[in-house]
Amino acid sequence: MRGRRLTEVAFLLPWIGAFLLTPPFVVILQAWSELSGLPLFIVYVFTCWMALIVAGGVVYSRLDRLDGVDRPPDRRLGRRDSD
Amino acid sequence: MLTSGFVLTLAGGYLALLFVLAFVTDRMAARGRAGLISSPIVYTLSLTVYCTSWTFFGAVGSAARNGPEFATIYLGPTLVFVGAWFLLRKLVRISKTHRITSIADFISSRYGKSTRIAAIVALIAVASTTPYIALQLKAVATSLDTLTIGRSVLTAEAQGLFDDTAFWVAASMAAFVIIFGTRNIGADEHHPGVVAAIAFESLVKLAAFIAVGLFVVLGLKATGAEYAGPLWLDPMLRETPPFQASDPARWTAMLFLSAAAIVCLPRQFQVTIVEVTDERHLKTASWLFPLYMLLMSLFTVPIAVAGLGLVGDGANPDLFVLTVPMSVGEEWLALAAFIGGFSSATSMVIVACIALSIMISNHIVMPLLLRSPWLRLHEMSDLTGLLLAVRRLSIVLILSLGFIYYRVSAHSDALAAIGLISFVGAAQFLPAMVGGVYWRGGTERGATAGLIAGFVVWTYTLLLPSIVRVGGAATGLLTEGPFGLGFLRPEALFHLDRWDPLVHALFWTLTANVVAYVAVSLVSTLKPLEQLQGSLFVDAFRRRPFADASRAWSGDTAVEDLMALARRIIGRDHAYRAFRDYARSMGRDVRELVADAALISFVERQLAGSIGAASARVLVLRIAGGETISLDEVITILDETQQAIEYGRQLEQKSAELEATAEQLRRANTQLKQIDTMKDDFLNRVSHELRTPMTSIRSFAEVLLEEEGLTQEDRERFVGIIHQESLRLTRLLDEILDLNRMDAGDLDLRLVRLDPATTLHESVAAMAGFAHQRGVTLEDAVPAKLPEVIADADRLKQVLINLIHNAIKFNDAREPEVRVSAEVSGREVVLSVSDNGPGVPAADQTVLFRKLPRRGGEREGSGLGLAICRQIVEAHRGRIELRPGVGKGARFEVVLPQATTKNEASSLPAAVASAGS
């Protein structure tokens, strides 16, 4: 079951990233930057970016460890990603 | 100022180093020692061919002009790679299975191995890559000129062809690519030497950029009167574009565009999908590649800001990476930056040329040559030489096209703008490609229509304006529209005015593309082979395609013919090895091979690895002479696999159900076992309880029978004991019977509305004597009146008396007290009996109300009393609870629901019946 959870998280990651890095968040952060006079927007973008990388690293290394030798999925027809 | 000769020598030396690296790697790979090259790290580094000189120089320029939007160019790929396990893995899996050699091959293979669509894709790829290659030439030439003579030659004066630095740059790059990209024709297009060179270059450009970045961040101080900190943090520069907001629409469009580009750019497809040796590498690349891009852009903003402050607005911001170190006299750093930019340009040109030359030769030239009736190529004995020659010519052609575009457009356009034109062109592959791997219904006609529509709109809305601007002629086209038709203005199509040209073009191209693709697909019918390929692509993870694909042949061929064909295309050695390996995998000798459908399909795949699926099919068709599969056959194949999948799915479901049932059974079994143990325990205890009074009755009876000299007094005492013991026996049996009756569910309750206070008072009164006898203070703290409940008065009294009796009996305090009270809590009445006795040991609390006699301790009563109490109270829809009392003592609470007008006595029997279970 953990494998399936991980796959689901891996699937979600790019969508979360896209959600954070498009309007309205982009518009909000740019407005904050302008109001505060600090480059908040750039900091925000780089933070999200780093967070995505870290999350990706964690998820994919877990997936790797979980799969071990990584059976090709076509051979597990009938067996979902159970561990 | 560095001399031109020195810099050129250095650049030449750098190229020579790449040569050596690529050469050594190719040698090692040929000897089967490609350990390092096939590592996920090298794979990831080779992906960074994405970071071209455009991003090396242009990202800073973009930041200096348009603010933070430069980041989108990397963020899009980051999103795609973080989700690599889905789209990219599927593309890799499909490409490995079908031995895909390029993006054109991929799309053509998906849509029934169509030659036509492959040629279209190849053409679009060439057209959209040309500006990009021009961009690299321009970047290298201008950076070289800036470094050596302090200004870009082209902007100063027109140059003859051979005086143009870019010409020599293009020529030397062509030489490199020809030598390393077309050394041999492999069964699949792997170029380990090139991959190694590119991985090396990725480190060079990263190091160069970070060096400049660190210098700017740490080394450059502002020289203002009131501020002397790092230049890039100078408050005076806080208002410059890098810190400004960027247009949200453009931001989003570029994010999408770069995400599309990372899969659709021909060179990215080449390194990401074709060159990958192991699908698992994607797991590393999914985070390492984004990390590389993050590092690559970490210093973009500081360099841009410093450039604006130091070099000024007038200078070309695209060269800040170079001009910032130069303006403070750091020539060596500038040289490093030049090498970094040079390195990014060469890697892009190398990979793009290889990818495009494969496409041109496989999908445009070879099909034409093979079909031409005069050449009779299919009868030629060795085609490898021809194939290589075609590829080399293609490389020269591609670089020439790039060079021409550069000469035409060199005077204008920021680097980033040219790059984006390319990106939008490449994005036209997206619908056909992604649609193809997720939608079975996409047809060859649909994909062709989509590609052509998107390409035409791209040419009109993006390429044309960029050329018109540069040429300076016919600018009326942009402002007035063609023939004065305002709604056809290329950058405001159908009056979509005041949009950023890029967003405008992206919208119209993809709209035209997707609409044409979907609409035409829906009205056209799938040819059998398209249907087969479509389902193989869409279900890439679910089936073993070879088993199916091989059946797509029905013909009659000799093994020798096939072998001869393979020899001609992939060379004698390769062909022999491939056949030998194939025979081995079938467990046979080469001479025993039969030209069955599987072998033919195998040969076709081998050929596809060098000349593309469509051409391979044409060739094999001639040799095999077999019919392509009929619709009926395909349907049968599809049906069979569909059934197998469906069957597998059902089996899976069934086994899941079975598992669940087994789990339930296991649980029920455990419960049964527990109950069985309890029952045994119960019987054990009960018989023990029955034995004690029986034994004493028997022994006293025996004494009475046998002893002669007993006094009357003794006799009476003994008979009294026998009487008491038999009473105790009866009581015990009554209790057991009671409990059993309640278990069976036929507890006979005579329910009436009553005031529980009355019952409480009566119970206290009944126990007063016993309390007195035991010296226990029994306090009646029950209010005179309580809300009515619905209950059986006798049964309720039985419960209360039992509780009070226990409280008195087990109370061993020095000044024993038992307190009976009651209170109203919400819609319930709580009757409680509390004492200051020893309390209930924690171990017993859980089993207190169970049908189990008390273990150990004094053996008074059966221990069934509380179990009976619970059964009775639950039959009243109430509950009995144990709570901590005063001090160590216990406090038993009987909670009963208040009687409402509705819940009359008649409504309870249902509860009575269920309370038994």
Side-chain angles (χ1 to χ4, degrees), chain B residues 441-464:
Chain B
T443 67
E444 190 235 336
R445 280 163 190 279
T448 312
L451 284 169
I452 290 178
F455 180 66
V456 168
V457 179
W458 172 75
T459 313
Y460 188 66
T461 57
L462 219 49
L463 192 65
L464 187 66

Side-chain angles (χ1 to χ4, degrees), chain A residues 6-69:
Chain A
L6 270 179
T7 330
E8 273 156 15
V9 172
F11 180 74
L12 270 182
L13 272 182
W15 300 108
I16 295 172
F19 177 66
L20 291 175
L21 293 170
T22 44
F25 275 108
V26 169
V27 178
I28 294 172
L29 264 294
Q30 288 194 348
W32 285 6
S33 290
E34 217 152 295
L35 287 176
S36 65
L38 297 169
L40 285 183
F41 180 65
I42 296 174
V43 173
Y44 170 76
V45 167
F46 274 85
T47 311
C48 286
W49 196 345
M50 197 62 221
L52 276 177
I53 293 169
V54 170
V58 169
V59 168
Y60 282 101
S61 61
R62 287 253 175 94
L63 263 181
D64 212 18
R65 223 175 303 147
L66 208 71
D67 278 13
V69 203

Side-chain angles (χ1 to χ4, degrees), chain A residues 7 10-11 13-14 17-18 21-23 26 30 37 39 41-42 45-46 49 52-53 57 60 64 69-70 73-74 78 80, chain B residues 68 74-75 78-79 82-86 89 93 242-243 245-246 251-252 255 280 283 286-287 290-291 294 297 541 652:
Chain A
T7 330
F11 180 74
L13 272 182
L21 293 170
T22 44
V26 169
Q30 288 194 348
F41 180 65
I42 296 174
V45 167
F46 274 85
W49 196 345
L52 276 177
I53 293 169
Y60 282 101
D64 212 18
V69 203
D70 192 32
D74 56 354
R80 292 262 167 77
Chain B
Y74 300 105
L75 287 173
T78 299
L79 295 181
V82 165
W85 207 233
F86 301 93
R89 189 171 67 125
R93 176 66 62 86
F243 291 124
S246 50
W251 171 278
T252 314
L255 195 67
R280 277 171 292 172
K283 285 184 189 157
S286 68
W287 58 272
L291 183 65
L294 182 118
S297 49
F541 286 133
E652 189 182 352

Side-chain angles (χ1 to χ4, degrees), chain B residues 273-329:
Chain B
I273 315 285
V274 179
E275 300 278 357
V276 67
T277 48
D278 187 338
E279 163 182 311
R280 277 171 292 172
H281 289 354
L282 281 176
K283 285 184 189 157
T284 307
S286 68
W287 58 272
L288 193 58
F289 179 48
L291 183 65
Y292 181 95
M293 294 189 291
L294 182 118
L295 292 175
M296 197 71 193
S297 49
L298 208 53
F299 295 110
T300 304
V301 169
I303 296 175
V305 176
L308 287 172
L310 206 62
V311 190
D313 292 335
N316 181 0
D318 285 329
L319 291 171
F320 279 168
V321 185
L322 217 55
T323 46
V324 166
M326 278 173 76
S327 66
V328 289

